[in-house]
């Protein structure tokens, strides 16, 4: 079981409202659903009852919740990468556009109007 999936499960189990749990975690709802589906597949039992209304934890979900909290607490904190200085430096230059259109043999010059007759 991945720690990320367990964190998603804990948030969903605490709120018992999947959209709010996804918002709290900063992930989209399909990502949360796929994490919960992976956990249900690994556990071999449904973790939530989804009978139309508000979801509720099943007995297997309640057991997994205690284990998930302990496992997430025991997991090492994610490593924070040090900020790197930008090596590009300098000012950003404004785009000057594509310039004049190329001259095609046999066509009038694109930047000059044709003389009316």
């Amino acid at each position: 079981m991945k720690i990320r999936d367990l964190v998603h499960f804990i948030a969903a189990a605490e709120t018992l409202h999947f959209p709010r749990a996804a918002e709290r975690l900063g992930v989209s709802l399909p990502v949360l659903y796929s994490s919960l589906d992976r956990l249900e597949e690994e556990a071999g039992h449904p973790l939530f009852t989804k009978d139309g209304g508000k979801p509720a934890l099943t007995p297997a979900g309640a057991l997994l919740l205690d284990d998930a909290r302990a496992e997430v607490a025991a997991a090492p904190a994610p490593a924070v990468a040090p900020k790197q200085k930008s090596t590009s430096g300098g000012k950003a230059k404004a785009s000057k556009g594509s310039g004049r259109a190329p001259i095609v043999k046999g066509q009038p010059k694109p930047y000059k109007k044709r003389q009316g007759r």
Side-chain angles (χ1 to χ4, degrees):
M1 293 183 193
K2 293 183 179 179
I3 297 295
R4 182 190 72 207
D5 293 343
L6 294 175
V7 169
H8 290 179
F9 170 70
I10 291 170
E14 287 175 351
T15 60
L16 290 177
H17 192 268
F18 298 132
R20 271 192 230 129
E23 184 179 327
R24 185 172 112 184
L25 293 167
V27 297
S28 66
L29 202 52
V31 170
L32 179 67
Y33 283 139
S34 64
S35 291
L36 296 177
D37 288 341
R38 273 194 300 271
L39 281 177
E40 284 182 346
E41 190 175 304
E42 286 183 33
H45 298 286
L47 303 175
F48 293 95
T49 57
K50 303 164 191 165
D51 296 329
K54 190 174 181 182
L57 277 175
T58 61
L63 288 174
L64 182 64
L65 181 60
D66 295 333
D67 294 340
R69 284 182 176 150
E71 195 167 330
V72 168
V80 178
K83 284 191 173 183
Q84 295 178 347
K85 289 186 176 182
S86 177
T87 57
S88 61
K91 284 185 175 180
K93 295 183 179 177
S95 173
K96 294 185 179 180
S98 61
R100 292 185 177 168
I103 298 174
V104 179
K105 194 172 186 178
Q107 296 290 324
K109 293 184 179 179
Y111 51 90
K112 210 158 185 158
K113 290 195 173 206
R114 290 179 64 176
Q115 181 179 359
R117 296 183 188 188

